[in-house]
């Protein structure tokens, strides 16, 4: 399995940048990605003859065809469905994305203890499954890491409620995550409103266990017109919670989002001189190994968007 990795801590930032670019190039030039491109009528022989900078540019441009949210008027990911072509070719698509790290990344990369494990907020069952996976990582490795879930005040959608009501009476992502963390760790969490605001997207909340080892934070959005996204929560966490140079954090998400959320966080890891790893929710917790093929294609496109930004910022030979 290929993975997008955060370079190990090194005081020489230039070395970390070179390691990052090498890893990204290995991923973007992989046989698995080329097979996906070929499946959608891309000329892979032409790709193979390109210099690396042309290859990166054209692979990223090609992936725009997998923006199915845009094709469906920016519909939420959960509403996407396979079209006839994707349904016909879903087995090959699933093989490719599994090789690219979108399926099955359930283990940490090394034994270095994390200072923090960070379950990320999401939809439906994820605000229970990701805390359960964080607890699994903690127990398997015998660590004493703090576990802080990162969320926003996102109102739950009607179609989520049937799933969420199996573990929470909450009305938004933060409340659902608080209940999921309480259940996963079998502890009491005490709620605190830090910043109240008539615009719920700008509210700031947290709830923590009595010893401060387990908690949930709801980050305010950087844009008052939308809910807090993953980047908002990363920035909020790094501004609010103490860490040392060289510390390690582990993100916990659904397996399908492992590449894109790692690619999003790498920038923050390099800027703040820390290490990062990521795991997806194990299928023994979620009960599902696969998502719909169309959702994987959407996340391949999203990951390549992130790689484009990383190349622009960190490729010293550009």
């Amino acid at each position: 399995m290929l993975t997008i990795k955060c370079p190990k801590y090194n005081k020489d930032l230039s070395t970390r940048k070179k390691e990052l670019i090498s890893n990204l190039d290995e991923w973007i030039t992989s046989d698995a990605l080329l097979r996906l491109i070929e499946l959608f009528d891309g000329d892979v022989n032409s790709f193979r003859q390109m210099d690396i900078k042309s290859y990166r540019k054209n692979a990223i441009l090609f992936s725009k065809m997998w923006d199915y949210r845009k094709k469906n008027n920016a519909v939420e990911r959960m509403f996407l469905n396979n079209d006839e072509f994707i349904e016909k070719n879903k087995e090959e698509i699933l093989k490719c994305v599994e090789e690219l790290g979108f399926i099955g990344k359930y283990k940490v990369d090394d034994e270095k203890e994390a200072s923090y494990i960070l379950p990320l907020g999401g939809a439906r069952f994820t605000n229970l499954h990701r805390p359960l996976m964080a607890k699994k990582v903690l127990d398997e490795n015998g660590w004493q890491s703090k576990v802080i879930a990162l969320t926003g005040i996102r109102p739950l959608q009607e179609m989520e409620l049937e799933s969420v009501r199996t573990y929470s009476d909450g009305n938004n992502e933060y409340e659902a995550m608080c209940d999921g963390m309480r259940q996963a760790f079998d502890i009491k969490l005490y709620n605190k409103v830090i910043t109240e605001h008539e615009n719920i997207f700008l509210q700031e909340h947290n709830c923590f266990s009595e010893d401060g080892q387990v908690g949930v934070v709801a980050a305010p959005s950087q844009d008052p017109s939308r809910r807090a996204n993953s980047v908002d929560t990363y920035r909020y966490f790094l501004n609010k919670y103490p860490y040392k140079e060289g510390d390690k954090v582990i993100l916990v998400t659904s397996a399908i989002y492992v590449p894109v959320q790692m690619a999003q966080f790498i920038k923050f890891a390099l800027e703040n001189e820390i290490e990062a790893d990521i795991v997806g929710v194990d299928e023994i917790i979620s009960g599902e190994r696969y998502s719909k093929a169309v959702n994987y294609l959407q996340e391949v496109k999203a990951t390549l968007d992130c790689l484009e930004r990383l190349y622009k910022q960190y490729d010293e030979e550009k």
Side-chain angles (χ1 to χ4, degrees):
M1 179 193 299
L2 293 162
T3 56
I4 292 172
K5 294 182 178 180
C6 176
K8 298 296 182 188
Y9 171 68
N10 188 319
K11 284 186 177 294
D12 181 3
L13 180 57
S14 179
T15 297
R16 294 189 86 187
K17 290 178 180 179
K18 289 176 182 176
E19 290 177 0
L20 171 63
I21 296 304
S22 176
N23 173 247
L24 300 185
D25 281 345
E26 180 184 11
W27 194 91
I28 201 172
T29 60
S30 66
D31 180 67
L33 186 60
L34 282 170
R35 294 200 327 265
L36 267 186
I37 290 172
E38 186 173 37
L39 183 64
F40 285 80
D41 292 330
D43 184 354
V44 294
N45 290 326
S46 176
F47 271 90
R48 290 190 176 103
Q49 293 170 16
M50 296 176 188
D51 64 82
I52 188 59
K53 287 181 170 54
S54 297
Y55 180 101
R56 294 171 187 166
K57 179 181 177 181
N58 281 280
I60 291 164
L61 284 172
F62 190 91
S63 73
K64 305 303 181 186
M65 73 178 301
W66 298 322
D67 192 351
Y68 293 96
R69 293 188 67 197
K70 183 176 181 180
K71 292 177 181 179
N72 289 276
N73 300 314
V75 67
E76 289 285 350
R77 291 171 175 83
M78 67 183 81
F79 296 114
L80 293 175
N81 289 299
N82 294 348
D83 61 24
E84 185 178 349
F85 178 82
I86 294 173
E87 185 66 26
K88 179 182 177 182
N89 293 280
K90 64 183 179 183
E91 289 188 12
E92 177 61 19
I93 293 168
L94 293 177
K95 287 178 185 176
C96 293
V97 297
E98 185 162 6
E99 291 176 37
L100 288 166
F102 292 89
I103 299 167
K105 210 288 190 176
Y106 305 144
K107 299 287 185 182
V108 294
D109 289 336
D110 61 55
E111 296 179 354
K112 178 179 177 179
E113 183 166 357
S115 299
Y116 294 96
I117 299 176
L118 308 175
L120 306 180
R124 298 186 286 190
F125 287 109
T126 57
N127 296 308
L128 173 61
H129 290 166
R130 295 175 188 177
L132 287 168
M133 187 64 193
K135 181 70 161 55
K136 186 172 186 287
V137 171
L138 204 63
D139 292 346
E140 286 180 345
N141 292 280
W143 292 340
Q144 299 299 313
S145 317
K146 288 189 175 183
V147 182
I148 301 178
L150 306 183
T151 71
I153 304 293
R154 176 186 66 83
L156 299 176
Q157 297 193 35
E158 186 67 30
M159 74 168 298
E160 295 179 80
L161 293 179
E162 182 178 355
S163 303
V164 172
R165 290 294 174 259
T166 63
Y167 64 92
S168 173
D169 292 326
N171 294 309
N172 58 56
E173 183 181 294
Y174 167 72
E175 293 172 351
M177 180 62 88
C178 288
D179 288 333
M181 291 283 280
R182 289 185 182 105
Q183 184 170 327
F185 289 87
D186 193 23
I187 55 171
K188 291 183 179 180
L189 298 177
Y190 301 92
N191 189 57
K192 178 181 179 182
V193 178
I194 301 173
T195 304
E196 191 62 84
H197 199 285
E198 62 181 13
N199 182 343
I200 62 170
F201 297 151
L202 300 180
Q203 291 181 13
E204 184 180 352
H205 297 246
N206 72 37
C207 63
F208 274 86
S209 58
E210 196 166 357
D211 63 5
Q213 280 292 110
V214 177
V216 183
V217 299
S221 173
Q222 296 296 303
D223 180 347
S225 69
R226 59 160 175 79
R227 61 182 171 87
N229 59 24
S230 296
V231 170
D232 293 327
T233 65
Y234 299 157
R235 185 178 288 112
Y236 176 85
F237 164 76
L238 291 164
N239 286 337
K240 289 283 186 178
Y241 294 93
Y243 56 87
K244 304 186 301 296
E245 192 175 299
D247 275 0
K248 176 182 174 182
V249 302
I250 295 175
L251 309 179
V252 182
T253 187
S254 301
I256 187 174
Y257 303 126
V258 162
V260 67
Q261 289 182 321
M262 185 76 266
Q264 286 178 341
F265 193 81
I266 285 172
K267 168 180 180 288
F268 296 97
L270 296 187
E271 288 176 355
N272 292 279
E273 299 184 301
I274 60 174
E275 293 183 11
D277 194 359
I278 190 167
V279 294
V281 173
D282 196 315
E283 62 201 77
I284 66 172
I285 292 173
S286 67
E288 296 178 342
R289 182 167 179 81
Y290 301 111
S291 298
K292 287 178 285 191
V294 65
N295 292 110
Y296 288 112
L297 293 169
Q298 181 73 46
E299 297 313 312
V300 172
K301 180 264 179 192
T303 302
L304 285 162
D305 285 346
C306 290
L307 265 57
E308 181 178 25
R309 292 190 288 272
L310 290 171
Y311 282 129
K312 285 180 179 176
Q313 186 165 2
Y314 295 116
D315 183 9
E316 294 183 335
E317 296 182 5
K318 57 181 179 286

